[in-house]
Every structure is written in C-alpha cells, then in structure tokens.
C-alpha cells in the first residue's frame, strides 16, 4: 500500500488527535501501532479496554495513509447498537450499515459496518470493491470463527484472499479446542498454518485407535483406523508463536490474588464485589432505573463472572479468574449471599424447571434429526446435518440427564473437578446448596 500522506507514522506514540474528544491510553496506542504496521493480527484485549476504539482509530490511520482503502467492521447482532454509538462518539465519518434490522446503503463511504450474519449477503459488494480498492477488515468476536464448518467461517474464508488487511478481535480466550485455535490461526496467518494435520502433528500427542463402522449402504461392518488426540506437546513453542501474532492486553493482578491486595482501584473493587453479589438498583419492572456508567461497569464485571461459569476461563491459574473466584468465596464465607438465590422467585424457577424437564423429555423420546430441526433456529450458522451429528454425539455419550435433578453423586463429581484444580479447600454440603423441590 502506497502512502499518500507526508506523516511518519512510525514515530507517532499517541493517536488521540484522530478522534473526537478522546484520550487514548498507552495500551490502546500500543495496539494501534501494531495493527497499523501489520496486515493480520489477533487483538485480544480484555473487555472494557476499548477494542472498538482501537479498531476505529487504526482504520482512520489506514485511510489517511491511503485514501483508496475501504474498511469493513464485522460484529455480532448484539453489538450493533454499541458499535454504532462508539463510531459516532469517536468520529464524524459516514458509514454504510448492513444488519438484519437496519440498512444504510453503500454510497461510496470509506467505512462499512456489518453484522456477522449479514456478511454473506454483501460478499458481491466486497468482491466488487476489492477490484478497485484495498480492503481492511476488523472481525469482532472472532472466537466465533473456531468452527470451520460454520457459515461464519465459510463466508470470511470465501473473501479472505480479497482482503488486504484482516484483524481478528476478541476478548474471549481462544482455548476451546486445539482445532478451533488452528481454524482462527489459519485465517490470520495462513502462510504458517495451512494444514491442520501438520499443526496437529506438531502440537498434539496422538494415539491410533480402531473402530468398527457399519456401512449404511451395504450393512456390512468394517474396521477403520483413526488418530485420537490424547495430549499436547511443544506448548511453549506454540505460546511463543501466538505471542508474535496476538496483541494481548488487560488489567493485571497480583499473583497471590488476595482481594484487598490486587492492583485494582477502589471503584473497580467495589464493582467486582457488587457484581459478585448481583447488586443492581432495579425498578418495578426489574430493569435498571437508569443506564449509568456504573451499571455498564456492573455488566462488564458480571460478564467476567459468566465466562467463568460458562467455562471460557478454563485456565484457573489466571490471576483474574483467581480474583473473581476468591471474591465469590469470601462473600459466601461471610454469609452475605447464597450461591443459588431462588427463594424470592419460586414460581419463575418452577417454570424454568418445568420447561427444561419438558425439553429433556422431548430429547429422550425423539431421534437426533427431530431434535436438530427443533433447535435449528437457535443455530442459524449451522446446517441441519451438522446439528444432527452434534446432537447424536451428545446422545451417544448420554450427556443429557433424565430430569433437572442434581444427585449427590453428580454434585460431588463437580466439586472433585474444582478441588483438583486447586480452587476448593473443602467440599460444600450437598443439602445446603442443592434443592430438588422444583423437580417434577
């Protein structure tokens, strides 16, 4: 890309002058410097550190350096409103918008905002633009690209060779699976990650297994050999490589993770504590009385907590995870909050329990295809065939309980996992934390 502006971008340390009423942090400026010098990177800053602002600023640098650049921002539907607001707060530049609920047609704008589910529909537009312009793309929530069979991954793969610049953006650790990690690295750095089998053989311990397969056509059974991943190797080397293409940033915490000794300021400490207790000021409709900055901060803290619950923070050695787990444990010790708060919402909880039991009953009385068809609307980027395979795999390993009842054996098994991770001093009593009275 040829530069058209007589600016030495290499010596600029603060890009705040490109934005409206914004003072960028050193972390944000560092990320912008890297993004504007490299054609493909993973931006993995934690939530709340201004990844959207970083991307908008980097895009403005591209356009100032070369007016022939068009930038596409891709994000999930849930982020559309906040992305529009952020864009308007940072710049007066016009943009085209493509989403399921709102469209602002392209009319020569330098910036295009697009929901990830809508991207497939504007592929012809992108290909046409790529014939005349350089195309830069920032793909938010890039961890959604870990499944190469998803429509999201297939769409971005179909236009990847038309993109001059491609940056994957995510605050979620890319640790769900080694193959999922490869699928993203294949998009970001295809030159060094062109083959899954080469990547797998380099970083995975494999064991050959045999399985008997029955042919659907002939009904005959035959033996098939396949490699099963049983462990990992060369992980230090993998980490070093990822560090070279991944821009990482976040608030740091002391290793002892004791709450009062963290590096957090008092306001953030309070927000974590309140989020752990679920403290919100709600109106009669159970909605926040006013969407203030504090409410937004609560949401960010709860988002962190939810990621632990969902298992996204699988590495329990991280300081942030330890801090959050420690805070929950401390509050529970002081009897300030129960782990499960249901007593004031009995009818609601019973309704949830009934609905889940109804779903479980349906699963156990139907085949995988029927279940896949029922849930397909919740997975628009997956085919019925893929969903059927997924459901069948869960059925084959008996993953779904018969009811919502949590037995003492199940409860103890969960605690053993947490105990083995070093995050549980002693097991909690089953009868104090689990109730079966909502099971019907």
């Amino acid at each position: 890309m040829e530069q058209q502006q007589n600016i030495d971008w290499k010596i600029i340390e603060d890009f705040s002058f490109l934005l409206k009423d914004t003072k960028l942090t050193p972390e944000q400026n560092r990320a912008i410097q890297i993004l504007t010098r490299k054609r493909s990177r993973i931006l993995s800053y934690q939530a709340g550190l201004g990844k959207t602002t970083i991307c908008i600023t980097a895009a403005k640098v591209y356009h100032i350096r070369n007016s022939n650049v068009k930038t596409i921002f891709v994000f999930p539907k849930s982020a559309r409103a906040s992305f529009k607001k952020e864009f308007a707060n940072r710049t007066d530049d016009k943009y085209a918008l493509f989403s399921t609920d709102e469209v602002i047609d392209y009319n020569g704008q330098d910036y295009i905002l697009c929901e990830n589910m809508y991207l497939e529909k504007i592929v012809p537009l992108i290909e046409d633009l790529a014939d005349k312009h350089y195309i830069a793309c920032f793909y938010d929530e890039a961890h959604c690209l870990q499944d190469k069979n998803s429509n999201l991954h297939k769409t971005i793969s179909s236009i990847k060779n038309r993109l001059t610049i491609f940056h994957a953006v995510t605050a979620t650790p890319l640790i769900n699976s080694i193959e999922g990690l490869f699928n993203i690295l294949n998009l970001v750095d295809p030159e060094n990650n062109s083959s899954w089998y080469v990547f797998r053989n380099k970083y995975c311990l494999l064991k050959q297994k045999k399985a008997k397969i029955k042919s659907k056509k002939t009904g005959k059974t035959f033996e098939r050999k396949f490699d099963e991943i049983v462990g990992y190797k060369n992980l230090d080397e993998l980490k070093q490589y990822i560090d070279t293409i991944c821009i990482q940033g976040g608030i740091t915490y002391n290793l002892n993770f004791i709450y009062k000794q963290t590096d957090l300021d008092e306001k953030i400490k309070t927000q974590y504590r309140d989020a752990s207790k679920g403290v919100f000021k709600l109106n009669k409709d159970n909605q926040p009385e006013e969407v203030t900055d504090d409410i937004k901060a609560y949401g960010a803290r709860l988002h962190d907590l939810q990621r632990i619950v969902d298992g996204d923070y699988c590495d329990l050695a991280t300081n942030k995870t330890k801090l959050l787990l420690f805070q929950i444990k401390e509050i529970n010790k002081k009897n300030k909050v129960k782990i499960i708060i249901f007593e004031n919402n009995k009818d609601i909880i019973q309704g949830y329990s009934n609905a889940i039991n109804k779903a479980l009953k349906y699963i156990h009385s139907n085949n995988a295809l029927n279940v896949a068809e029922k849930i397909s609307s919740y997975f628009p980027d997956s085919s019925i065939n893929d969903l059927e395979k997924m459901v069948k795999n869960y059925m084959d390993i008996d993953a779904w309980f018969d009811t919502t009842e949590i037995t003492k054996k199940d409860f103890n098994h969960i605690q053993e996992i947490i105990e083995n991770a070093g995050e549980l001093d002693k097991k909690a009593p089953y009868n104090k934390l689990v109730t079966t009275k909502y099971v019907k």
Side-chain angles (χ1 to χ4, degrees), residues 221-406:
T221 300
F222 61 95
E223 191 173 81
R224 181 180 176 183
K225 295 180 181 179
F226 65 95
D227 290 325
E228 180 183 30
I229 297 175
V230 295
Y232 305 99
K233 60 184 180 180
N234 301 324
L235 293 186
D236 287 340
E237 181 182 343
L238 176 59
K239 183 180 182 304
Q240 289 176 2
Y241 162 66
I242 291 177
D243 285 344
T244 65
I245 64 168
C246 190
I247 308 169
Q248 303 172 54
I251 303 172
T252 57
Y253 306 101
N254 292 336
L255 284 175
N256 58 16
F257 73 89
I258 296 176
Y259 186 65
K260 292 181 180 179
Q261 295 181 12
T262 64
D263 295 329
L264 300 176
D265 60 39
E266 289 303 320
K267 182 177 180 181
I268 298 296
K269 284 183 184 180
T270 301
Q271 289 169 353
Y272 266 114
R273 182 177 63 249
D274 289 346
S276 300
K277 293 191 294 183
V279 174
F280 283 92
K281 196 173 182 181
L282 305 176
N283 59 24
K284 61 181 181 180
D285 297 320
N286 285 326
Q287 297 297 322
E289 288 186 352
E290 182 183 358
V291 182
T292 62
D293 288 339
D294 284 343
I295 289 290
K296 293 176 184 176
Y298 286 149
R301 307 288 79 77
L302 287 172
H303 190 53
D304 287 334
L305 294 169
Q306 188 61 50
R307 282 179 171 173
I308 292 177
V309 174
D310 292 342
D312 289 335
Y313 284 140
C314 294
D315 182 4
L316 293 178
T318 62
N319 300 325
K320 185 172 187 178
T321 307
K322 286 183 176 181
L323 169 74
L324 296 171
L325 291 174
F326 180 84
Q327 178 56 29
I328 295 170
K329 184 172 70 173
E330 286 298 293
I331 291 173
N332 190 49
K333 272 185 186 178
K334 298 173 183 176
N335 295 317
K336 289 184 179 180
V337 65
K338 294 182 179 179
I339 295 297
I340 304 173
I341 307 174
F342 286 160
E343 291 304 310
N344 296 328
N345 303 282
K346 293 181 180 180
D347 293 339
I348 296 175
I349 300 306
Q350 187 64 69
Y352 273 113
S353 182
N354 293 346
I356 295 171
N357 276 325
K358 186 177 179 181
L360 290 171
K361 184 177 179 181
Y362 181 87
I363 288 171
H364 290 301
S365 58
N366 283 272
N367 59 33
L369 178 59
N370 289 343
V371 175
E373 289 174 342
K374 280 288 185 183
I375 65 175
S376 60
S377 62
Y378 298 97
F379 301 91
D381 57 329
S382 299
S383 67
I384 291 293
N385 186 49
D386 289 340
L387 287 174
E388 182 184 7
K389 291 178 181 178
M390 178 192 73
V391 172
K392 188 176 185 305
N393 286 338
Y394 277 99
M395 287 180 166
D396 289 344
I397 63 173
D398 198 23
W400 283 296
F401 289 114
D402 294 328
T403 69
T404 55
E405 180 180 6
I406 300 176

Side-chain angles (χ1 to χ4, degrees), residues 409-425:
K409 181 180 178 182
D410 296 329
F411 183 71
N412 286 334
H413 179 61
I414 293 172
Q415 293 193 90
E416 287 170 3
I417 295 174
I418 302 174
E419 201 172 33
N420 290 334
E423 297 300 325
L424 188 65
D425 296 331

Side-chain angles (χ1 to χ4, degrees), residues 70 124-135 159 161-164:
K70 301 291 183 182
L125 170 62
I126 296 172
E127 291 179 335
D128 183 56
L129 288 174
D131 290 335
K132 309 166 188 175
H133 304 276
Y134 298 112
I135 305 297
I159 60 172
N161 64 344
R162 307 304 304 275
L163 304 176
T164 307

